[in-house]
Amino acid sequence: MRLSRRRLNGLTEHGFSILITLFGLLILTFVIGRIMPTDPVRAMVGEDASREVYEHVYQQLGLDKPMWQQFLLYLRDVVTLDFGTSIRTGQPVLQDIARALPATIELATFAIIIGAGLGTPMGVIAAVNKDKWQDQVIRVLSLMGHSMPIFWTGMIALLIFYANLGWVGGSGRMSQFYIGLVPERTNFLLIDSILAGQWDVFWSALNHLILPAALLGYSSSAYITRMTRSFMLDQINQEYVTTARVKGLSRRQTIWRHAFGNIRVQLVTIVALAYGSLLEGAVLIETVFAFPGFGQYLTSNLLIGDMNAVMTCVLIVGVIFIGLNILSDILYRVFDPRTR
Amino acid sequence: MTQETSAALPRRTMPQGLIAARNIVVFLTRSPTSLFGLVVLGLLLILALFAPLIATHDPYMQDLQNTLHPPSSDYLFGTDELGRDIFSRLVHGSRITLTIIFLVTIVVGPLGLIFGTVAGYFGGKVDTVLMRITDIFLSFPSLILSLAFVAALGPSLNNAIIAIALTAWPPIARLARAETMTFRQADYISAARLQGASPARIIWRSIVPMCLPSVLIRLTLNMATVILTAAGLGFLGLGAQPPLPEWGAMIATGRRYMIDSWWLVTFPGLAILSVSLAFNLLGDGLRDALDPKQMNRR
Amino acid sequence: MDPILDIRNLSIRYQGSAEPAVRNVSFTLGRERLGIVGESGSGKSTVGRAIMRLLDTAELTADKMTFEEVDLLNASERQMLKVRGQRMSMILQDPKFSLNPIQRCGHQIAEAYRTHVRCTKAEARQRAVEMLEQVHIRDPERVYDMYPHEVSGGMGQRVMIAMMLLTSPDLVIADEPTSALDVTIRLQVLRILDGLVRDKGIGLVMISHDLNLVRAFCDRVLIMYAGRLVETLDAKHLDRAQHPYTQGLLAAQPRIGGPRGPLSVLDRQDSWLNAQGEVA
Amino acid sequence: MKPITINDLCITFGAVQVLHNISLDVKAGECFGLVGESGSGKSTILRCISRLNDSWTGDVRIGDSAVRDMEVSDRCRMMQMVFQDPYGSLHPRHSIRTTLEEGLRINKLDDREGRMIRAMRDVGLPVEFLDRYPHQLSGGQRQRVAIARALILEPDVLLLDEPTSALDVSVQAEVLNLLVRLQKEKGFTYLMVSHDLAVVDHMCDRFAIMQHGRVVEVLPREAITQGGATQTYAQDLIGASLEYEHAI
Amino acid sequence: ETPADQLIVGFNMNNVLTMDPAAITGSDAVQILNNVYDTIVRLDPDTKKLTPSLAERWEIAPDNRSVTFYLDQDATFASGNPVTAEDVRFSLSRPIELTLAQSTWLVSRGYSPENIGEMFEVVDDKTFRLHLPQPDDPRLIMMVLTINGPGSILDSKLVAEHDDGDNGTAWLTNNSAGSGAFTIGQWRANEFVILNQNAEYWGGAPAMSRVLMRHLPESQTQRLALEQGDLDIGYSLAAADLTALETNEDITVETVPSAGFYYLAVSMEDERFANPKVREALRYLIDYDGINTAIMPYFGVERQRPINSGAFGALPDLEYTLDVDKAKALLAEAGYPDGFDTTIHVISTQEFLDSATAIQGTLAQAGINAEIITGGGGQIYGAMRERNFELLVGRGGGGQLPHPDSNLRALIYNPDNSQEAGLTNYQGWRTSFMDEGLNEMIEAALVEPDAEKQAKLYQDIQEEMEAAVPSIQPFSERVVTAAYQDDVDGIIVDPWVARFEDVVKNR
Ligand SMILES: Nc1ncnc2c1ncn2[C@@H]1O[C@H](COP(=O)(O)OP(=O)(O)OP(=O)(O)O)[C@@H](O)[C@H]1O
Ligand SMILES: Nc1ncnc2c1ncn2[C@@H]1O[C@H](COP(=O)(O)OP(=O)(O)OP(=O)(O)O)[C@@H](O)[C@H]1O
Ligand SMILES: [Mg+2]
Ligand SMILES: [Mg+2]
Ligand code: NI
């Protein structure tokens, strides 16, 4: 939010600064990729490979070239949207991500619907009832959500709701035996299964989604609640809210029509950022739930030193975040008359 | 003198800082939630300081005859897969947690403060350059950036701390900068300039004290995130390495035995939860106590 | 003539403060212009807001507090919704902050009308534009569609006035309606307000810290000091004020063409705090 | 005692030119007023003279030396400023002692304690107040501290930016009296911004009326009552002020 | 409940990076490809004897320098093409020509891009003759050819169709060109592999129409899925979960011997460990019983000799025990009466880590303070390859071939100890252990044509090694364990020989 206000100095400067940020991002990802101590070549050729095999692959990957050349090559590749091949999957990284990301987006979207749907009204209620019991309860609830180690809660929830109660599906995106039955069109399983008319897969997918999404949603609702509350408090003390009351509007009307209207843009920004940081929660929760999404793709590649994949993942996260920031800037421009 | 202040003012004997600190603590103890935070953190401090006295066993001492022993009077929280006493490991783990917090704080606080105030005070090109750098760091969720850093540096506790510190300062810098921007135009800053103060002096004497409360609040709240990130890294096997009794790592290993031996993950998880919750509650309470708006009120 | 407003021994204490911000204030208001003056923090706005029943958390006690037939002391929020904005309204000080920044000025005016009168949007718009004309806005249709940040301070204040007078209330409380404005604009706004009060015959409470303004603009003046009413006077007779506080305020003002000697300075007495404002 | 000479002062913020070729002469020992509508650039002139804004062009001299060429310490010793808002011009976390001492330290003046005590006496505050914090003082007292902070460096020129407009009438009188007294005792040159012609009339010998970043007219004090203004805006402004005060 | 005609398998496919048999690494990929590619000969899962597969019979030349394989007349690829000797030649040459990972096997037996033209001989359409480039044990080479990877037989015509100038490598990464019971339907790295029934399988179509091999690295996930009936077989379960499943009536837990050892290795680059007394002391600082009873069940059984107990010529196990006093005495003799500080490298997988921690504990009793350094396989074995470690707890030592040579070469043999040699595939080299005498004995034993004499030679080697105190001390011999639903039959547990073609569900 602060970001945006600062960036209202004109579109060109704006675009320029984004370019610079992107460039910095590229340097950062390149550096991260190159100093990783794990040996990608060894991961490819295996433990017992002979030296000839090793060096053959080493050269294939271009690792024998000087750093700056490698960086220029990297830049060229990025510009041409060629992110190389993943060592671990042997597929173009972009193709891998095109498969992994939809799973995470599905998860994150569900989570954000839960999170925003819960967090926004709770934040408003807390603000309106500042310092009353409602506020205290919501405060503790949301701070709990903010404080819980999500991987731990995930494990415990899995144990309770899947292993003991059997209410929800276990790990993965769907029950194991449905895997590979749905033709992949969008890679969004829910959509694909509907397109294919396979309702049992759809339900299975939904069943597997609900628990991790609820957990992620709770933790992001914590953030959204806190922010909504403080935005709302700022607004409630503004004179124009008094004006609205003087006009004879009821409290409800003043809050929703006037105060809430003024936090809408900030709220969208916050939700956008929360959506972005669900990627973070996804890293852990996907590990716990063996959910084949972006987070798991990233961590498993990290561990074996799959340079291309890691660099691209990090780059994509960065780009997503920058994109979300731009989006919230644009929203500011569009929705706030003062910045037009 | 013809004028009088409306309220009688108490004579001051203690330095302002001490009084303020006392007032803040008193304020915090008045709210049950902040009190909880204070107590938990006090407990953490005591545990860490007197770990060898409190722990009932050697946290590294294995007893392969006594693995996965459920909680009992011998082993308060049971034993792990190598027969180590979980209670003692938790107690010693508090030292790791505190180390992380301490190191991260002393890196992140000053770094963020300097970056932010300098950028905010000078504005212009300096600001642009510094903020571009923070932007780059900020364009990642902290866990993913720490993951990338740890992957690049190699997994270990120290590297995890470095990675967390590297990812934790930009928000502080942002905050300090935003605060500085609001004070920069203040008349008292102009007055200091008119008295011939150098920029460094102004930043140090006039701006830093103003930014400090909100930075402190933010740092406290950040600590919760730091703890969770550290635990997350430990959980993914990228943080503290065995046999260090880091709580996240304990969960990661305990997870393999979770179904039958609930105590392996439950207690470290609760420990993380309560410390991180304590920081959040305390930060929240501090925000009320140090509310910058209240402080600047006339 | 029945008083529009009748207040006896009003005391107000804000939540969390030991001292009441206003104590034992009594006055009545007919169809006249009543000024409330006093230095900063003397409780002027608090009285105004208490009348509108906007102080949800403050503790409010009075022997009597009625607006026409409405018992303001015991009226429920629901009853107040009918009164507030329709029969009494309030003009706030600074248009920069008192208008919702993301809604068009006209929309905010029309909303005031639509809250109390059943009508179509077009009707409300029509009424709002008329009202804008009445407050001497030259191009009301255009101003209707402007956002608050696009209008100047003086214009914003007129929008505010239009909004508050649209429902023809019986009582208008103006809380420092001009102190955010330049001298030249200040005069224009006051003239508009004056004209409307004269035409519609409403009761007006004018809160200000500016003795000159109150003297010239009001019929009667209440002088407040530290939450207490120290004196009530006809505006015309301000120069004949009895209370040393009032006298002090008058003398402390530099005047154009006045003598250049040192200005006299207020010498506050503890005994002022015991004084009771007499009921007018 | 030094005169201020301003020649062709221009300043541009972004694309907007805020000051257009301002030229003013303030005589040594004079109290010179600046009036005009809000946003006309009054404060900006003061900030340019004191080099709080530095991007201006033109020539500003105090006495014989141009402010641009002065050493920082010389400039500080020659000119100080009092700001409009007494609540914002004192550092909220510095005690009065710290506030006053800061300038002495920076400029390496000796006998700090003595100087501070004298400054407090000059502005009519008890010496015990040195250990108080701004939030323990009333608005008028704060403004006195702000004046003391300016005095303590013994400048020749005081720039006053609406020093009383945030204060109540009763307090305003005290501060105005103090300023008058100090000028008599120490012979300062005052350049004072105000939006209140009554204050200008009370304090100043001459004043300039400003509009849209230009000086419309420079008038002697008597012009207010006797109608010496020739420019329309000046006439409007004076007219409005008179009308406001006498009859609405 | 899983469908009756589908087999759902849980295992860990972290190391599965490609479906190209020439480029795979590790046993997990072999486990997949066993179902897709046939080899010319197979190992019997139980007896580990050579049995026919694509070759219905073979003849070893009297001079032990060539083997002639006669291919099954009916054998066809999934594409319908017949399996020919030309396919065999193509398949065996491909890894070597392209310098892919799996070339190592045959290259280490003397094959090279230059000589394969002569060595791989297509006699006629269905007869293939394999010449040995150097004196060798032909049985050993045949054992190599049983392994999917070096021995996978590809459909050369089909590969040629998909050759985009890369010899079909890109296509083979995701697709199969084999003659096995299944074909690869879909492969998602670290997610799953789907194998589709090859209805035309020349050995008779398998019962399962589809096999889903799911990447489930978490043991508890596999266990839960097994218990909930979402999974038919779990291949990578941890000890605790296996113990629990053991009590589950619907689940069978089966443990079988496998290849390789869990060992403690020292780097003889380090002068302390170059001292045989120190190495001998370490022998007595491992709690063999404790580790094998508390940590290793389902993963290993006690074994201190570096030859798999199932290989011919293996001697009964040694009987070292934890003996701190003796170790202390040896350390004192070596000049370290108070012990020393060192490090242990170890992979952060549970049984490794636990063993290392246990060893760390017993070392400490003799005053050796070892700091544990953990990492992924790449990092830890990487350090070993660079000879940049002190102590290391690892697993390895050949044994995929039931031939003592396979163990000895992996663990002991080291023809050139120089840094430049870079013989990183020999653990002897990695640990800087070189014993000329042992090298010669190993080479001599391999080429001994008389089976009985050969066994005797291998026994001599084992006794010699006890005295030489090599750099690697095994403490456990690897076994593998799987758990599966009771109503599933025909499961083979050892991943090196596992195949799903005979699996049936009794529902
Ligand atoms: N919400 C509040 N909570 C607590 N105290 C308050 C609150 N609002 C005002 N006060 C206190 O009540 C007293 C009267 O305030 P009020 O705003 O009515 O003064 P005023 O006469 O309108 O002053 P001004 O001329 O500055 O507007 C002051 O001492 C003020 O500090
Ligand atoms: N740092 C700055 N950057 C951009 N514009 C500025 C800056 N400082 C002042 N301005 C603009 O310059 C103009 C003159 O401002 P200035 O503060 O001098 O007015 P003023 O006459 O003092 O008004 P007031 O009576 O309200 O104090 C205004 O339009 C203001 O917005
Ligand atoms: Mg007020
Ligand atoms: Mg100004
Ligand atoms: Ni005024």
Side-chain angles (χ1 to χ4, degrees), chain B residues 60 62 64-65 67-68 81-82 84 154-155 237 241-243 252-260, chain E residues 218 220 223-224 240-241 244 287 290-291 294-295 348 350 353-354 357-358 360-361 372 374-375 379:
Chain B
Y60 300 108
Q62 302 170 18
L64 294 177
Q65 312 314 319
T67 55
L68 299 175
E81 74 282 1
L82 292 174
R84 294 172 297 197
Q241 297 297 312
T253 44
R255 176 174 179 210
R256 304 198 176 86
Y257 308 92
M258 183 173 75
I259 301 179
D260 309 294
Chain E
E218 299 291 332
Q220 300 240 310
R223 169 180 165 189
L224 281 178
D241 298 308
D287 182 1
I291 290 177
I295 300 168
S348 46
Q350 198 64 28
L353 204 51
D354 290 352
T357 324
Q360 183 193 35
I372 292 189
T374 58
Q379 274 163 284

Side-chain angles (χ1 to χ4, degrees), chain C residues 179 186 209-210 253, chain D residues 164-167 169 172 195-196 244:
Chain C
S179 56
R186 195 180 285 182
H209 69 275
D210 191 336
Q253 275 205 125
Chain D
T164 59
S165 65
L167 304 174
V169 212
Q172 167 176 306
H195 69 272
D196 190 344
Y244 182 72

Side-chain angles (χ1 to χ4, degrees), chain A residues 106-119 213 217 220 224 271 275 278:
Chain A
E106 231 167 49
L107 182 63
T109 307
F110 253 71
I112 204 71
I113 290 172
I114 296 174
L118 222 64
S220 69
I224 294 173
V271 171
Y275 191 75
L278 282 176

